[in-house]
Amino acid sequence: QVQLVESGGGSVQAGGSLRLSCTTRGFSVSSSCMAWFRQAQGKEREGVAAITPLSSTTYYSDSVKGRFTINKDNAKNILYLQMDSLKLEDAAMYYCAARRGWACTEKIPSKADIDVWGQGTQVAVSS
């Protein structure tokens, strides 16, 4: 069964940090384009970070560049998102996403590129 299971969401004050984890089941992160998306209430789902399968090249949206770090553990098949210097506007449901067997393009994939989604983990940021 192909599955993505996120964890690590929660509530944090602005300026704080959280680390999200995503465990993959049924496929390998080392052969998939992996990404994190987020969706704030009333807004479209947007990609915030991606990592390529082989070289682990990373891509970030302008809104999180310099504050978020995506990485993965190929041996454990886990994807991470380290979120530092969190802002109020980072509050959203965060989704782990994958496109299996794809090398990624030179940017964060679009929603249409994704073939596996996690169930989401909520991140709340307070002042």
Side-chain angles (χ1 to χ4, degrees):
Q1 182 182 5
V2 173
Q3 198 175 12
L4 295 171
V5 180
E6 300 102 330
S7 61
S11 297
V12 64
Q13 284 194 318
S17 298
L18 280 175
R19 188 175 81 155
L20 306 183
S21 299
C22 171
T23 300
T24 67
R25 293 173 182 164
F27 69 100
S28 174
V29 300
S30 61
S31 60
S32 305
C33 179
M34 301 298 299
W36 288 96
F37 285 69
R38 68 184 182 188
Q39 187 167 17
Q41 201 159 8
K43 294 190 176 181
E44 291 284 321
R45 190 173 298 190
E46 61 170 349
V48 296
I51 186 166
T52 62
L54 294 178
S55 65
S56 295
T57 301
T58 56
Y59 304 101
Y60 298 95
S61 66
D62 289 342
S63 60
V64 307
K65 197 173 296 181
R67 300 186 299 119
F68 288 13
T69 303
I70 186 171
N71 58 15
K72 57 182 178 154
D73 185 325
N74 286 340
K76 295 181 179 179
N77 273 321
I78 300 176
L79 178 73
Y80 300 99
L81 184 68
Q82 177 67 40
M83 305 186 294
D84 298 318
S85 303
L86 281 160
K87 303 177 179 180
L88 294 176
E89 54 264 39
D90 293 319
M93 184 73 81
Y94 282 74
Y95 296 91
C96 179
R99 171 69 180 267
R100 292 167 292 168
W102 192 48
C104 294
T105 58
E106 293 182 357
K107 59 179 181 178
I108 296 172
S110 68
K111 290 182 291 183
D113 292 325
I114 301 301
D115 68 343
V116 187
W117 290 97
Q119 82 287 353
T121 185
Q122 188 72 46
V123 171
V125 183
S126 60
S127 58

Coordinates of all heavy atoms in Angstrom, one line a residue, residues 6 13 29 32 38 42 46 49 56-57 59-60 64 74 82-83 102 105 108 116 121 127:
E6 N 2.4 12.0 7.8 CA 3.1 13.1 8.4 C 3.0 13.1 9.9 O 2.0 12.6 10.5 CB 2.5 14.4 7.9 CG 2.6 14.6 6.4 CD 1.3 14.4 5.7 OE1 0.5 13.6 6.2 OE2 1.0 15.0 4.7
Q13 N 5.0 29.6 19.0 CA 5.0 31.1 18.9 C 5.8 31.6 17.7 O 6.7 30.9 17.3 CB 5.5 31.7 20.2 CG 4.6 31.6 21.4 CD 5.0 32.5 22.5 OE1 6.2 32.5 22.8 NE2 4.1 33.2 23.2
V29 N 11.8 7.1 -1.1 CA 12.1 8.5 -1.4 C 13.3 8.7 -2.3 O 13.5 9.7 -2.9 CB 12.3 9.3 0.0 CG1 11.1 9.2 0.9 CG2 13.6 8.8 0.7
S32 N 12.0 9.1 -5.9 CA 10.8 9.9 -6.1 C 11.2 11.4 -5.8 O 12.0 11.7 -5.0 CB 9.7 9.5 -5.1 OG 9.4 8.2 -5.2
R38 N 1.5 23.4 1.5 CA 0.7 23.8 2.6 C -0.5 24.5 2.1 O -0.6 25.0 1.0 CB 1.5 24.8 3.5 CG 1.8 26.1 2.9 CD 2.7 27.0 3.8 NE 3.0 28.3 3.3 CZ 3.9 29.1 3.8 NH1 4.5 28.8 5.0 NH2 4.1 30.3 3.3
G42 N -8.9 29.0 3.5 CA -9.4 29.9 2.5 C -8.4 30.2 1.3 O -8.7 31.0 0.5
E46 N -0.3 25.4 -1.8 CA 0.9 25.8 -2.5 C 2.1 25.0 -2.1 O 2.3 24.5 -1.0 CB 1.2 27.3 -2.1 CG 1.5 27.5 -0.6 CD 2.0 28.9 -0.3 OE1 2.3 29.7 -1.2 OE2 2.0 29.3 0.9
A49 N 8.5 23.5 -0.7 CA 9.8 23.0 -0.8 C 9.8 21.6 -1.5 O 8.8 20.9 -1.4 CB 10.4 22.8 0.6
S56 N 19.5 15.1 -4.3 CA 19.0 15.8 -3.2 C 19.1 17.3 -3.3 O 19.3 18.0 -2.3 CB 19.6 15.3 -1.9 OG 19.3 14.0 -1.6
T57 N 19.0 17.8 -4.6 CA 18.9 19.2 -4.8 C 17.6 19.7 -4.2 O 16.6 19.0 -4.3 CB 19.0 19.5 -6.3 OG1 20.2 19.0 -6.8 CG2 18.9 21.0 -6.6
Y59 N 14.7 22.9 -3.5 CA 14.0 24.1 -4.1 C 13.0 24.6 -3.0 O 12.4 23.8 -2.3 CB 13.2 23.7 -5.3 CG 14.1 23.1 -6.4 CD1 14.0 21.7 -6.6 CD2 14.9 23.9 -7.2 CE1 14.8 21.2 -7.6 CE2 15.7 23.3 -8.2 CZ 15.7 22.0 -8.4 OH 16.5 21.4 -9.4
Y60 N 12.9 25.9 -2.9 CA 12.1 26.5 -1.9 C 11.3 27.7 -2.6 O 11.7 28.3 -3.5 CB 12.9 27.1 -0.8 CG 13.7 26.1 0.0 CD1 15.0 25.8 -0.4 CD2 13.1 25.4 1.0 CE1 15.7 24.9 0.3 CE2 13.8 24.4 1.7 CZ 15.1 24.2 1.3 OH 15.9 23.2 2.0
V64 N 9.5 31.0 2.0 CA 10.1 30.2 3.1 C 11.6 30.1 2.9 O 12.3 29.6 3.8 CB 9.5 28.8 3.2 CG1 8.0 28.9 3.3 CG2 9.9 27.9 2.0
N74 N 17.3 8.6 3.1 CA 16.9 7.6 2.2 C 16.8 6.2 2.8 O 16.0 5.3 2.4 CB 17.9 7.5 1.0 CG 17.8 8.7 0.1 OD1 16.7 9.3 0.0 ND2 18.8 9.0 -0.6
Q82 N 12.3 21.1 8.3 CA 12.7 21.9 9.4 C 12.2 23.4 9.2 O 12.6 24.0 8.2 CB 14.2 21.9 9.6 CG 14.7 22.8 10.8 CD 14.3 22.3 12.1 OE1 14.2 21.1 12.4 NE2 13.9 23.2 13.0
M83 N 11.4 23.9 10.1 CA 10.8 25.2 9.9 C 11.3 26.1 11.1 O 11.0 25.8 12.2 CB 9.3 25.1 9.9 CG 8.8 24.2 8.9 SD 7.0 24.2 8.8 CE 6.5 23.6 10.4
W102 N 10.1 10.0 -10.5 CA 10.3 11.3 -11.3 C 11.4 12.1 -10.7 O 11.6 12.1 -9.5 CB 9.0 12.1 -11.2 CG 8.9 13.3 -12.1 CD1 9.2 13.3 -13.4 CD2 8.5 14.6 -11.7 NE1 8.9 14.6 -13.9 CE2 8.5 15.4 -12.9 CE3 8.1 15.2 -10.5 CZ2 8.1 16.7 -12.9 CZ3 7.7 16.5 -10.6 CH2 7.7 17.3 -11.7
T105 N 11.5 18.7 -11.7 CA 11.9 19.7 -12.6 C 12.8 20.7 -11.8 O 13.0 20.5 -10.6 CB 10.8 20.4 -13.3 OG1 10.0 21.0 -12.2 CG2 9.9 19.5 -14.1
I108 N 9.8 23.7 -7.7 CA 8.8 22.9 -6.9 C 7.7 22.4 -7.8 O 7.2 23.1 -8.6 CB 8.2 23.8 -5.8 CG1 9.3 24.3 -4.8 CG2 7.1 23.1 -5.0 CD1 8.9 25.3 -3.8
V116 N 1.0 11.1 -5.0 CA 0.7 10.6 -3.6 C 0.7 11.7 -2.7 O 1.7 12.5 -2.6 CB 1.8 9.5 -3.2 CG1 1.3 8.9 -1.8 CG2 2.0 8.5 -4.2
T121 N -0.7 17.7 8.3 CA -0.4 17.9 9.7 C -0.6 19.4 10.0 O 0.0 20.2 9.2 CB 0.9 17.4 10.2 OG1 1.1 17.5 11.6 CG2 2.1 18.1 9.5
S127 N 1.1 34.8 18.1 CA 2.0 36.0 18.3 C 2.3 36.1 19.8 O 1.8 35.4 20.6 CB 1.3 37.3 17.9 OG 0.0 37.4 18.5

